[in-house]
Amino acid sequence: MKVIDTHAHLEELNDVQRALAEAREAGVIKIVGVGSDSKSNQRILALAKQFSEMVVPALGLHPWNLEHDPAEEIKFIEVHIDECIALGEVGMDYWIDRDQELQRRTLETILKIAVEHDKPAILHSRGAWQDVFELVRESNIERAIFHWYSGPIDLLHQILDLGYYISATPAAEYSRHHQRAIVETPIERIVLETDTPVNYRGMEARPVHVLRSLNAVAKLKELSPEEVAEITTRNAIQVFRL
Ligand SMILES: [Zn+2]
């Protein structure tokens, strides 16, 4: 089986080299390293250079890191835009204490950059699903992944109607909201990920755990792990143009 982890904060791992070797051994052929601010974007670009056979970089500005005027952060993304395959992690989060208007303006700006440069966006939308969707729709962006989607199901159908994707994390093993989204989404619109190094009920994720996402999706979709691997890998190659 060949699988792709489409969302990992690789720069937060202590031993990236070891995590990549372990993942490769298990059939992981590519990992999208996602950035959260200029410092992490820089690290992701360096890792993608160092491990170019395995790591592809996405540049982002996580809503959790929006504590001040993001002009410098956005400039970094624009300067390095040709070095990345996607913009992410970006988005909005209404469950944290960050200025919502600043979140909105920032996402709007980043989506504009994504459209100008024909890059997909990897979206964080926790608690802000409807507003993120509106901005994405208004941007007319061609490719978008609603990462770890756990939002309302009627909105999910609008997301899918516009041709966008959702990603499945190991939380698909137990999160009712995430499971429901996966059940409702055609397998042709699902990509796998780990959100490394998120802690899933006591397990700190590494890219190898994309197999847990895979098996959870297989169970929910009543498909074999081999089928899920084949289809979701094809989806990832398509949406990220790998
Ligand atoms: Zn993430």
Side-chain angles (χ1 to χ4, degrees):
M1 283 194 295
K2 289 176 180 163
V3 288
I4 295 178
D5 180 357
T6 64
H7 188 124
H9 299 271
L10 285 179
E11 86 288 1
E12 293 181 31
L13 290 173
N14 289 328
D15 193 341
V16 177
Q17 190 156 8
R18 190 165 161 189
L20 294 181
E22 167 194 52
R24 191 185 298 119
E25 191 88 351
V28 180
I29 55 168
K30 286 272 181 246
I31 300 167
V32 180
V34 293
S36 307
D37 58 20
S38 293
K39 207 171 147 200
S40 89
N41 285 336
Q42 212 149 14
R43 289 275 295 131
I44 291 291
L45 286 175
L47 288 170
K49 237 174 229 162
Q50 190 180 350
F51 303 106
S52 57
E53 76 294 344
M54 191 122 179
V55 178
V56 286
L59 299 179
L61 178 47
H62 200 294
W64 297 353
N65 295 348
L66 268 182
E67 279 159 331
H68 51 81
D69 175 17
E72 286 299 316
E73 303 281 344
I74 290 169
K75 195 172 163 203
F76 182 94
I77 292 173
E78 285 187 298
V79 167
H80 294 277
I81 191 82
D82 293 333
E83 297 161 56
C84 73
I85 59 143
L87 293 192
E89 178 168 359
V90 297
M92 297 199 281
D93 191 325
Y94 288 171
W95 293 359
I96 50 149
D97 184 24
R98 295 283 182 280
D99 185 272
Q100 294 187 359
E101 190 45 41
L102 181 62
Q103 293 192 47
R104 159 182 288 278
R105 278 204 316 270
T106 304
L107 179 58
E108 219 167 10
T109 305
I110 289 175
L111 285 170
K112 206 177 279 175
I113 297 169
V115 170
E116 269 169 33
H117 297 272
D118 193 19
K119 305 280 183 192
I122 302 166
L123 299 154
H124 177 110
S125 54
R126 196 177 66 161
W129 301 286
Q130 184 74 43
D131 287 355
V132 170
F133 173 71
E134 300 295 348
L135 287 184
V136 168
R137 178 168 59 186
E138 284 162 19
S139 77
N140 277 319
I141 193 167
E142 195 189 319
R143 295 172 287 150
I145 300 95
F146 284 73
H147 140 76
W148 193 341
Y149 188 82
S150 306
I153 294 299
D154 54 336
L155 187 65
L156 171 65
H157 287 290
Q158 296 182 57
I159 289 169
L160 296 171
D161 283 347
L162 292 182
Y164 301 137
Y165 290 73
I166 69 163
S167 61
T169 71
E173 290 174 352
Y174 57 82
S175 157
R176 298 287 297 270
H177 290 289
H178 193 34
Q179 287 175 336
R180 220 154 56 101
I182 290 164
V183 167
E184 289 285 328
T185 303
I187 189 71
E188 288 75 20
R189 294 294 186 74
I190 298 174
V191 293
L192 304 176
E193 59 143 310
T194 57
D195 207 7
T196 289
V198 161
N199 194 307
Y200 297 96
R201 294 198 163 163
M203 179 206 74
E204 203 170 282
R206 304 187 302 280
V208 69
H209 297 126
V210 72
L211 293 179
R212 291 180 64 157
S213 314
L214 170 85
N215 287 321
V217 170
K219 206 165 149 192
L220 291 167
K221 305 301 280 182
E222 298 179 351
L223 294 167
S224 70
E226 289 77 12
E227 282 174 294
V228 173
E230 192 188 323
I231 299 168
T232 57
T233 296
R234 195 192 310 144
N235 297 343
I237 289 170
Q238 201 170 329
V239 70
F240 290 108
R241 297 186 186 152
L242 297 174

